[in-house]
Amino acid sequence: SSTALLIGFGFIVPLCVVYPYYGLPFFLIKNKVIKFLFGIASLTTAFRCLEAVFGFLPKHVDESLWNVIVYNAFPVECKFDQHGAIKSTWANVAHYVRNFGVWMCVLGMYCSLLVGYDYKLYPTEEELGLSDALDNVLNWHQLANNFSIAILFQIYLTTFGCAINVATSLVGLTQIPMMLNPMFESTSLSDFWGRRWNLVVHGFLKRGVYKPVRTKYSRLAAATAAFLASGFFHEWLLGVMLYPDYDSVGDCTPPTCYRPGYGRNTLFFVWNAILIGIEYAVGGAVVFKMLKTHLPLTIFSLLVTSTALPVAHWFTNDYVRSDFFLDGQLGWPIIVRLDE
């Protein structure tokens, strides 16, 4: 309705956009990972609003007021059926705690491997502009860095998802998984982005952007709109995460005041939208079916992800160079080399 549009786009969404820039200084939050999560909370609220405005809430959520309250009370997507929120059991809690413990150790070990290289296996020149970013697309050192950080992001998100699983199960609820091993089990780019990578974000992009656009336009137009929205909100998240921290005399120096390369996140997602369009056009060709049938799933999945790997640094470099992962390693068991 016009009232819902007015309240949503005139008040709630703008409030979610500006709130972190006031909330972060107020709460004196300086850790970049916590800043990022602070932004995620606002972002989730904004997209939950879009879902409600456009009428695309998850199945069964709108069947009762209590369901709506439970759904919006958590920054993740809880599971519902015709009886309401699906309840967890103590067996679920034990399973989630075990998974979290395992993935926390995996993350700590992987960070222990990368921290000695400052999360860059190979040193690469700083990209001062888009032309520099394009020059590095076929740089083997950059490709190796991109692959190592893509794995790191997958482990980070999987571990975070396990932690949220523990929290939600302890209050008696269950949630959808965050990640389903996209780097090594994807059978297509659509499978990677739509059914395996960050399913919580995929869900609110699907309901808040893809489905509203799809009601009037083609699936390619809707997918492109979703990827553009993803690019835009990741640019905004960079701004939140890297919001400057000034010291007592008003100084601010890198990496505390790192200046991100705005625009590259959006270009990364535009590139993936182009790849999805190509998949829609030729993905059913015989050669791809043969490869999928005869190659091991892990090898085929790596071929799928390799289509985006050359430009992955458009997305990842700002996180590496701003010391995002150095801030994040404070929360994990990690082995570091002590200077002599």
Side-chain angles (χ1 to χ4, degrees):
S1 68
S2 57
T3 302
L5 288 170
L6 180 61
I7 294 174
F9 287 98
F11 177 69
I12 296 178
V13 172
L15 179 63
C16 292
V17 170
V18 302
Y19 171 67
Y21 292 101
Y22 292 92
L24 291 172
F26 179 81
F27 292 109
L28 301 177
I29 298 173
K30 298 183 180 296
N31 184 284
K32 295 182 182 67
V33 174
I34 298 177
K35 284 182 173 182
F36 184 86
L37 295 176
F38 201 94
I40 287 291
S42 283
L43 182 73
T44 303
T45 303
F47 273 94
R48 294 281 168 83
C49 173
L50 296 183
E51 292 174 356
V53 167
F54 293 121
F56 288 108
L57 290 170
K59 189 176 181 180
H60 301 301
V61 168
D62 58 353
E63 292 177 1
S64 74
L65 177 60
W66 179 246
N67 285 1
V68 174
I69 293 173
V70 170
Y71 175 66
N72 287 287
F74 296 89
V76 292
E77 185 178 333
C78 295
K79 295 180 180 179
F80 294 84
D81 60 17
Q82 64 272 23
H83 304 296
I86 298 176
K87 305 299 182 183
S88 67
T89 64
W90 285 111
N92 295 140
V93 175
H95 173 73
Y96 295 142
V97 169
R98 182 171 62 251
N99 279 357
F100 175 62
V102 169
W103 279 107
M104 185 171 63
C105 291
V106 170
L107 179 57
M109 288 188 291
Y110 194 70
C111 287
S112 298
L113 293 174
L114 293 182
V115 68
Y117 301 93
D118 288 332
Y119 292 92
K120 299 184 288 289
L121 292 179
Y122 296 97
T124 55
E125 294 182 4
E126 184 175 357
E127 296 162 359
L128 301 178
L130 180 58
S131 61
D132 297 319
L134 292 173
D135 289 341
N136 281 335
V137 164
L138 297 179
N139 181 311
W140 285 103
H141 287 177
Q142 186 66 68
L143 288 172
N145 290 345
N146 290 354
F147 183 75
S148 66
I149 297 301
I151 298 298
L152 180 58
F153 266 111
Q154 173 164 319
I155 298 173
Y156 248 92
L157 289 170
T158 302
T159 306
F160 177 71
C162 290
I164 297 297
N165 272 328
V166 172
T168 53
S169 64
L170 284 173
V171 297
L173 300 172
T174 58
Q175 69 164 75
I176 67 169
M178 181 80 73
M179 302 282 275
L180 291 175
N181 198 15
M183 292 292 294
F184 300 105
E185 293 186 9
S186 296
T187 58
S188 67
L189 275 173
S190 296
D191 185 45
F192 180 95
W193 289 114
R195 291 179 286 275
R196 294 188 177 277
W197 185 274
N198 203 340
L199 297 181
V200 174
V201 170
H202 163 74
F204 63 59
L205 279 171
K206 182 177 181 179
R207 294 183 295 270
V209 179
Y210 180 89
K211 285 187 174 181
V213 175
R214 187 69 179 94
T215 58
K216 295 184 178 180
Y217 301 99
S218 68
R219 66 171 182 165
L220 179 57
T224 301
F227 276 108
L228 281 172
S230 184
F232 293 155
F233 80 65
H234 277 96
E235 303 278 4
W236 174 81
L237 277 174
L238 278 180
V240 171
M241 181 183 78
L242 300 173
Y243 190 61
D245 295 318
Y246 295 97
D247 60 23
S248 58
V249 294
D251 292 331
C252 189
T253 57
T256 302
C257 275
Y258 174 85
R259 294 183 181 276
Y262 289 117
R264 295 175 194 166
N265 275 217
T266 302
L267 286 176
F268 171 74
F269 286 105
V270 167
W271 173 254
N272 280 279
I274 293 171
L275 293 177
I276 290 291
I278 295 172
E279 179 189 304
Y280 286 167
V282 302
V286 174
V287 62
F288 297 113
K289 292 181 179 179
M290 289 179 60
L291 289 172
K292 187 183 298 186
T293 301
H294 293 93
L295 288 177
L297 176 59
T298 299
I299 301 300
F300 187 81
S301 182
L302 289 173
L303 289 175
V304 169
T305 57
S306 69
T307 58
L309 196 63
V311 300
H313 57 288
W314 294 351
F315 179 84
T316 61
N317 269 7
D318 286 320
Y319 292 89
V320 174
R321 290 174 172 158
S322 67
D323 288 350
F324 173 84
F325 295 112
L326 289 177
D327 281 6
Q329 73 187 32
L330 298 175
W332 317 114
I334 187 172
I335 301 172
V336 297
R337 180 178 178 178
L338 299 177
D339 294 332
E340 296 181 359

